[in-house]
Amino acid sequence: MTRHLEILERLIGFPTVSIDSNLALIHWIREYLAGFGVIAHLTHDDAGRKANLFATIGEGEGGLVLSGHTDVVPVAGQDWSSDPFTATIGDGRLYGRGACDMKGFIAVALSLVPDLVGRTGEPIHLAFSYDEEIGCKGVPRLIADLAQRGISPRGCLIGEPTGMDLVVGHKGANMYRVVVTGRAAHSSLAPRGVNAIEQAALMIAWLIRIGETLRGEERRHFGFDIPNSTLQVNRIQGGTAGNIVADRCEFMLDIRNLPWTRTDVLLADFQAFIDQDILPAMRDIAPEASVTVEQVGHVPAFEIAEDAPLVKRMQLAGKGCRCGFMAFGTEAGLFQQARIPTVICGPGHIEHAHRPDEYVSLDQLERCRSFLQRLLEI
């Protein structure tokens, strides 16, 4: 095997599903880097079960970050042809959980370390995070640590699977849990209770109308397949029995917003509707009634100008590869918020991720390696 395939085989062997620890993988990478004299800095989660890794090769200001997440999605309930945590090669593909999303990129980046040690020019940073798959929860600690230590990279490349095309924007992804608490009553005495499901239905109807307004009036972004922001209620549960007025209902609200659409404004309008049109009527009957709106997931929208210096550098390394936009969220918006210009480009295609027999083609890995070698010479 070539160096990056050997590394990828090792990385897939660590079952870093988001609900589990990633420390075994992180410690392996730290030891690998130490073998070349590169010191890695870790930032842990509150429980100490997971960690981000940040390492710098070279000296000086600025530098380019090569970034990827170490966690993978679960394999439970999926019908795999082979052990998902054992790399398997066949038909020009490497199979395994995380091969595409996104241990393939991490392996290629690590394979270049021997060539980078002793190199002159700007430093190269490696940033590997935890819990990206469950809402980009790890990388904010990594970014905060960089600020505290006075490290200001000049740019960042996130190696999510894009087929080695340059991605310069994606929508935001925001998830909210709405819990409606009413008052239970026998259904024959329904007016004496407060039906939480009915109140939730009024809120959902209001959200549908807002979604229709966005579809009709919001400034479009035709780089995306769906050129407007969307609001969806994708899960709802509540009630106890068919003859009991439901005293509780919970639903999940998903907002996929364009870079210029502010979700805080949408949520403020939603909260105002709840406070003015929902709660007063509920509390006329049940003073204890309540509605809570809790954000449980946040991936900020991301966009960088196609004529930005970092994009031009990436295009030069990619020999004119095209720029585009994608639907799924990444950590890019968080780096951008920290004033670190960011581009997304990595091996594999997202349709081959998160599924049984996930794979990345060997050709994509080779393209990524060649791209990074050219990029680091510019």
Side-chain angles (χ1 to χ4, degrees):
M1 291 188 189
T2 59
R3 187 187 304 157
H4 61 269
L5 294 183
E6 292 174 350
I7 295 173
L8 181 52
E9 181 179 39
R10 293 298 300 270
L11 297 182
I12 288 174
F14 295 104
T16 52
V17 177
S18 301
I19 61 172
D20 299 319
S21 173
N22 74 335
L23 289 181
L25 179 147
I26 288 294
H27 291 162
W28 184 88
I29 293 177
R30 181 172 62 178
E31 292 173 7
Y32 170 84
L33 294 174
F36 299 99
V38 179
I39 298 174
H41 184 83
L42 306 188
T43 54
H44 292 81
D45 68 346
D46 290 338
R49 296 180 62 247
K50 302 178 182 181
N52 303 304
L53 181 149
F54 188 87
T56 298
I57 305 171
E59 299 180 354
E61 300 294 324
L64 178 69
V65 177
L66 304 180
S67 178
H69 63 82
T70 62
D71 60 319
V72 298
V73 296
V75 298
Q78 294 187 340
D79 185 17
W80 282 71
S81 301
S82 59
D83 181 351
F85 297 110
T86 299
T88 303
I89 295 178
D91 300 323
R93 302 170 176 176
L94 188 146
Y95 296 87
R97 174 56 87 222
C100 178
D101 186 16
M102 56 177 297
K103 292 179 177 179
F105 175 81
I106 294 175
V108 172
L110 289 174
S111 74
L112 296 175
V113 170
D115 304 321
L116 296 175
V117 174
R119 167 183 173 273
T120 59
E122 69 174 356
I124 299 300
H125 309 286
L126 302 176
F128 304 136
S129 64
Y130 67 86
D131 281 0
E132 189 272 350
E133 294 288 5
I134 55 175
C136 297
K137 294 182 178 180
V139 80
R141 294 196 175 198
L142 184 151
I143 294 172
D145 183 66
L146 297 185
Q148 185 176 3
R149 293 194 290 142
I151 299 174
S152 301
R154 191 159 61 92
C156 176
L157 171 65
I158 297 180
E160 291 277 5
T162 67
M164 293 308 299
D165 289 330
L166 300 182
V167 170
V168 294
H170 63 65
K171 290 183 179 180
N174 297 274
M175 188 75 68
Y176 303 86
R177 179 186 293 112
V178 182
V179 178
V180 186
T181 303
R183 175 184 285 177
H186 193 284
S187 59
S188 66
L189 303 173
R192 297 181 183 178
V194 175
N195 191 311
I197 293 176
E198 290 181 355
Q199 300 303 315
L202 294 175
M203 296 177 218
I204 293 170
W206 186 90
L207 291 167
I208 291 172
R209 289 194 295 272
I210 295 301
E212 292 172 346
T213 299
L214 289 172
R215 186 164 59 250
E217 301 178 7
E218 185 184 30
R219 178 160 65 99
R220 296 289 196 268
H221 191 313
F222 290 103
F224 295 102
D225 292 338
I226 307 298
N228 54 277
S229 300
T230 59
L231 285 74
Q232 294 289 315
V233 172
N234 293 322
R235 184 174 68 82
I236 185 169
Q237 59 184 18
T240 304
N243 59 355
I244 300 175
V245 173
D247 64 347
R248 191 179 189 280
C249 184
E250 174 183 315
F251 64 89
M252 302 296 290
L253 168 64
D254 177 76
I255 302 178
R256 302 288 171 149
N257 62 292
L258 294 176
W260 50 67
T261 298
R262 292 180 53 184
T263 55
D264 59 335
V265 173
L266 294 175
L267 263 291
D269 291 344
F270 183 42
Q271 188 65 57
F273 169 73
I274 293 169
D275 293 341
Q276 297 169 17
D277 297 297
I278 298 295
L279 280 174
M282 293 176 68
R283 288 175 174 167
D284 280 345
I285 300 170
E288 73 277 14
S290 65
V291 179
T292 62
V293 181
E294 175 192 7
Q295 185 163 26
V296 295
H298 173 58
V299 178
F302 153 71
E303 185 169 23
I304 185 172
E306 293 188 30
D307 61 354
L310 180 65
V311 177
K312 290 183 177 180
R313 179 182 175 185
M314 299 285 179
Q315 285 183 309
L316 185 61
K319 297 184 177 180
C321 57
R322 63 179 184 177
C323 293
F325 298 82
M326 66 186 188
F328 65 93
T330 74
E331 297 168 332
L334 294 164
F335 281 100
Q336 286 275 91
Q337 288 179 352
R339 301 184 182 278
I340 303 173
T342 303
V343 172
I344 306 166
C345 181
H349 301 274
I350 194 63
E351 59 265 28
H352 302 148
H354 292 208
R355 51 172 273 186
D357 295 338
E358 175 180 347
Y359 73 85
V360 62
S361 73
L362 303 186
D363 175 68
Q364 282 281 303
L365 294 172
E366 290 290 350
R367 285 185 59 189
C368 179
R369 182 174 172 83
S370 297
F371 169 77
L372 289 181
Q373 287 174 325
R374 292 190 298 268
L375 177 65
L376 301 179
E377 293 172 357
I378 298 173

